[in-house]
Amino acid sequence: MIIVTHEVRNQPPPLENFNAYSSDSVLQEAVAREGAAWIAERAEAFGARIGSREVLHWGELANEYVPRLRTHDRFGHRIDEVEYHPAYHQLMRLGIEAGLSSLAWTEQRRGAHTARAALFYMAAQAEAGTNCPITMTHAVVPSLRLQADVAAEWLPRVFAARYDERFLPAANKRGVVLGMAMTEKQGGSDVRSNSTTAKRLDGDTFELTGHKWFCSAPMCDAFLTLAQAAGGLTCFLVPRFRPDGTRNPLYVQRLKDKLGNRSNASSEIEYADTWAQRIGEEGRGVRTIIQMVHHTRLDCAMGSAGAMRMAVRQAVHHCSHREAFGKLLTAQPLMQNVLADIALEAEAATMLVMRLARAFDDSGRDASAKSFARVVTPVAKYWVCKRAPTQIAEALECLGGAGYVEESIMPRLYRDAPVNSIWEGSGNVQCLDVLRALHTHPDSLDALVDELGATRRADRRLDAAVAQLQQDLRATSELEARARRVVEKMALTLQASLLLQHAPSPVADAFCASRLDAHWGNEYGTLPSSTDFDAIISRARP
Ligand SMILES: Cc1cc2nc3c(=O)[nH]c(=O)nc-3n(C[C@H](O)[C@H](O)[C@H](O)COP(=O)(O)OP(=O)(O)OC[C@H]3O[C@@H](n4cnc5c(N)ncnc54)[C@H](O)[C@@H]3O)c2cc1C
C-alpha cells in the first residue's frame, strides 16, 4: 500500500544539466581578458559535460565507493594494486582527454596555461579527488624536461592526452599518469630530511631504498621522488615497471583513511632496491622537483577557487527556490548579505587565479611575468586555499539542514577543501616562501608593485592598504612572525586591484569596503548594508 501523507513543496529542483562555463560570466570574462578566448568553444562543451547529471553522479560514486588496496593476489604474490570504482576512471578519462594534463604544453597558442586553468577550474566543481593525479601529470613536465632522454621517452605519453587505466608497462599504454613522492615520516615540509637512499647502478640509473609517508594516486605509471645519492638529495623518476617489463618493487603498505579527498587513494609506500632514473643534476633534487611544485601550487589555488564557485552556485540556486517566513530566501536582506559575501569571495578568488595563470603563460618571454608568478603563486596558494573551507561552510549553511546531507554535494565540497592548503606546502610554508621570493628575487616585489600601480588613486581604501603593505615589508624586524598578515595583505590588495579594473563597481566597492576595512566583520554576511547585493549575486546565479 502506498501511503501519501503530504505534498512535497518548497524544495528546489536539483541543480544539474547546467553549463559550468556559459553560466559563469566571471570565468568567461577572465578567459577572454587573460588571453585565452580561443578556448571558449571547448570550454563551453566541457562546461556542459561538467554540469551534466551524468558527470555529477560520477563524482558521487567515485567518493562513495572508495579505492581499495590489493597488496597480494590469491596465490600470495605481491601485486600492490589499487582498485577504483568505474566512475573514477570515467572522471579521469574526461579530464585527461579534455587536455587537463597536456594542453598547456601541446597547444602552441598564447594563453595555453590560462585556457587549461579554466577547464581545470570547472573540473574541480564536479569532483576534486581525480584532479590530484591529473595535476601531477600536467605539472611534471618542466621537471622531466631537465633530463632530455627521460623526457623524450615519457613526454609523448603525457602529451597523448589518453587515459589508459590498465596496469601495464608504460611503453604498452596509450597514455600515462604521473605522481610525486617526497614526504617521509620525519619530514614533509623539510624534504631535506629525506632518508631514502639512492645507489648508482650505472650511468643515470639507480636503486632506491626507503619509504614515503604520503604517495597519492599510487596507480600512477611513474613518480618523481627524492632520495639521497652520493652527491646529495636528488630527484628520480620511479616507474611501476622496470625496463625489462617486470614489476618494479614499490610496496604499497596501506592507504590513508582521510578526512576528504576520498576518491583519490593516498598511500604509504616502500622502496626496496627500486629501479629509478635520475632527473636533473645529482644533489639538486629540490631545485628539480620545485619546478613541478610551482605548477601544482597554481592548481591548488585554481581547484579551491573552482570549489568556491560550485559552493556559491549551490547556495544561490537553493535560496532562489526556497521560501521561509513567506518570502524567498534570496529576498531576505540578511541572506542577501551572506550570498553576496560568499559570491564576492569566489569572484575575487577566480580573478586572482586566472590573472596568475596568465603570468605562467607569459613567464617564458617576459621576465617581469616570471617574477610576478614567482611571488604571487604562494600568495594565491595561501590565501585562496585558506578561504575555501570557511566560504564553503557558509555556503553549506545557506541550504540549512539539507546542506549537511551527503546528497547535496556540500559535505563533500567541505571535506575536500582543507587539503589544498596542506599539500604542496602548507600555509606557513607558503608564507615563508613569499618572503624567500621577495628576498632572493627582488624583481618580484617590483612586479607586484607594478601590478598594483594599475589602480593607483582609483580607490583611497586600496591606496591606504598598499601604503600599509609597503610599510609592513620595509619593517624587517620579526617579518617571519608577521608573514601571514603580510601575505594576506598582498592577496587582498591584488584582488581589490583586479576587481576595481574588471568587475562591476558594486562588486569592487563591496570588496574594498569589507576586505580592506579594519572593521571588517569576522564572518560572512557582514558587508555594509548599503551594498548592492543583487548586483553581486546576479553574477553568481547558476
Ligand atoms: C591527502 C594528502 C595527500 C598527499 N599526497 C602527497 C603525495 O602524493 N606526495 C607527497 O610527497 N606528499 C603528499 N602529501 C604530503 C603533504 O605534502 C605534506 O603533508 C605537507 O607537505 C606537510 O608536510 P608534513 O605533513 O610533514 O608536515 P610538517 O612539515 O611537519 O609541517 C607541520 C606544520 O608545520 C608548519 N611548518 C613547517 N615548517 C615551518 C616553519 N619553518 N615555520 C612555521 N611553520 C612551519 C607547516 O605549515 C604545517 O602546518 C599528501 C598529504 C595529504 C594530506
Side-chain angles (χ1 to χ4, degrees):
M1 185 173 53
I2 300 171
I3 302 173
V4 180
T5 60
H6 63 285
E7 177 197 350
V8 177
R9 47 171 291 277
N10 198 21
Q11 287 283 344
L15 178 54
E16 57 192 22
N17 296 326
F18 61 90
N19 189 313
Y21 189 67
S22 56
S23 66
D24 188 341
S25 55
V26 176
L27 180 63
Q28 290 174 67
E29 288 164 20
V31 163
R33 185 173 62 243
E34 307 297 359
W38 51 266
I39 198 71
E41 209 173 301
R42 271 147 76 181
E44 186 146 359
F46 190 64
R49 287 297 287 143
I50 287 298
S52 69
R53 180 185 199 162
E54 182 185 25
V55 171
L56 294 172
H57 189 48
W58 290 345
E60 287 166 23
L61 292 173
N63 284 275
E64 187 172 346
Y65 302 99
V66 296
R68 287 174 60 182
L69 172 63
R70 304 248 179 245
T71 51
H72 296 80
D73 69 10
R74 68 190 175 112
F75 306 105
H77 306 112
R78 272 209 82 124
I79 54 171
D80 302 285
E81 292 181 29
V82 176
E83 274 178 6
Y84 296 90
H85 189 273
Y88 172 91
H89 295 302
Q90 300 278 33
L91 288 162
M92 289 293 291
R93 182 162 296 108
L94 177 69
I96 287 183
E97 300 195 356
L100 293 188
S101 51
S102 54
L103 89 79
W105 316 108
T106 53
E107 276 290 345
Q108 297 309 320
R109 276 185 272 197
R110 218 170 149 173
H113 281 277
T114 307
R116 179 225 166 239
L119 302 184
F120 187 83
Y121 171 92
M122 289 191 278
Q125 296 179 44
E127 208 289 306
T130 40
N131 279 342
C132 166
I134 286 175
T135 284
M136 293 192 289
T137 308
H138 153 75
V140 77
V141 171
S143 294
L144 275 189
R145 279 183 171 153
L146 297 173
Q147 195 65 36
D149 53 336
V150 181
E153 185 188 348
W154 282 86
L155 290 187
R157 299 170 183 154
V158 172
F159 296 161
R162 299 290 301 277
Y163 179 62
D164 187 341
E165 70 247 45
R166 294 172 301 162
F167 189 54
L168 295 174
N172 303 337
K173 292 181 64 166
R174 292 187 283 267
V176 293
V177 181
L178 283 96
M180 64 156 80
M182 292 189 283
T183 308
E184 295 188 2
K185 288 170 188 158
Q186 71 283 358
S189 307
D190 182 10
V191 291
R192 285 172 206 279
S193 69
N194 274 194
S195 61
T196 296
T197 56
K199 191 175 72 190
R200 188 185 299 276
L201 287 175
D202 82 86
D204 294 335
T205 61
F206 288 72
E207 276 180 350
L208 310 188
T209 298
H211 81 282
K212 295 291 164 183
W213 178 231
F214 279 90
C215 173
S216 287
M219 292 304 281
C220 284
D221 297 284
F223 303 87
L224 275 203
T225 199
L226 294 173
Q228 303 286 357
L233 193 65
T234 304
C235 182
F236 296 93
L237 185 76
V238 175
R240 289 290 315 252
F241 290 84
R242 295 193 193 96
D244 65 5
T246 57
R247 286 171 189 240
N248 205 9
L250 186 155
Y251 301 111
V252 183
Q253 303 292 62
R254 61 173 176 160
L255 299 187
K256 305 280 195 189
D257 183 5
K258 298 175 289 184
L259 165 67
N261 191 250
R262 297 183 75 84
S263 67
N264 181 32
S266 298
S267 65
E268 296 167 19
I269 61 168
E270 299 215 359
Y271 303 130
D273 295 334
T274 306
W275 191 87
Q277 286 168 291
R278 181 173 55 75
I279 305 292
E281 283 177 54
E282 191 164 324
R284 312 278 278 187
V286 173
R287 193 168 271 232
T288 303
I289 211 162
I290 204 76
Q291 310 249 0
M292 177 174 186
V293 172
H294 186 50
H295 287 269
T296 57
R297 285 179 179 172
L298 170 64
D299 274 12
C300 290
M302 197 60 74
S304 289
M308 285 198 254
R309 180 73 186 91
M310 183 58 155
V312 174
R313 253 182 219 293
Q314 296 287 343
V316 173
H317 172 76
H318 182 91
C319 294
S320 303
H321 294 275
R322 177 87 171 170
E323 284 182 11
F325 304 99
K327 264 202 304 196
L328 277 177
L329 288 173
T330 43
Q332 318 263 5
L334 188 50
M335 183 56 96
Q336 289 175 337
N337 197 331
V338 173
L339 292 173
D341 214 356
I342 59 174
L344 192 55
E345 195 64 38
E347 178 157 356
T350 305
M351 287 225 177
L352 180 60
V353 293
M354 292 299 285
R355 169 67 189 89
L356 178 58
R358 173 157 64 89
F360 275 65
D361 274 316
D362 295 345
S363 285
R365 63 195 135 68
D366 176 350
S368 133
K370 191 170 178 185
S371 303
F372 181 82
R374 172 65 188 91
V375 68
V376 176
T377 302
V379 170
K381 157 82 160 83
Y382 171 70
W383 185 243
V384 175
C385 298
K386 274 272 173 261
R387 295 296 285 167
T390 51
Q391 189 263 11
I392 292 168
E394 197 62 63
L396 180 156
E397 193 171 323
C398 293
L399 277 70
Y404 203 72
V405 173
E406 206 58 47
E407 289 161 318
S408 74
I409 202 182
M410 303 309 286
R412 171 149 59 89
L413 286 178
Y414 184 59
R415 277 197 308 272
D416 284 353
V419 76
N420 276 336
S421 187
I422 297 172
W423 59 18
E424 308 305 323
S426 308
N428 288 353
V429 171
Q430 295 311 298
C431 294
L432 296 176
D433 191 45
V434 172
L435 299 189
R436 187 175 313 112
L438 295 176
H439 182 68
T440 57
H441 299 77
D443 292 356
S444 58
L445 182 56
D446 298 340
L448 189 76
V449 170
D450 279 357
E451 178 82 10
L452 292 170
T455 40
R456 193 175 299 126
R457 285 196 275 278
D459 184 286
R460 63 179 167 71
R461 296 160 297 193
L462 178 57
D463 287 344
V466 171
Q468 182 65 52
L469 171 62
Q470 285 172 323
Q471 194 180 321
D472 289 351
L473 284 168
R474 273 195 299 271
T476 47
S477 99
E478 290 163 1
L479 190 52
E480 194 169 319
R482 291 187 286 116
R484 282 191 180 220
R485 285 198 85 100
V486 170
V487 173
E488 179 174 321
K489 233 169 250 164
M490 284 179 175
L492 292 175
T493 50
L494 277 169
Q495 288 180 319
S497 175
L498 288 164
L499 289 166
L500 281 163
Q501 291 173 75
H502 309 300
S505 57
V507 179
D509 188 57
F511 191 89
C512 294
S514 53
R515 276 63 171 170
L516 300 184
D517 188 302
H519 305 294
W520 179 23
N522 289 326
E523 292 293 351
Y524 286 98
T526 51
L527 296 173
S529 54
S530 57
T531 302
D532 184 347
F533 300 125
D534 270 346
I536 303 172
I537 297 169
S538 65
R539 285 170 69 75
R541 229 171 259 291

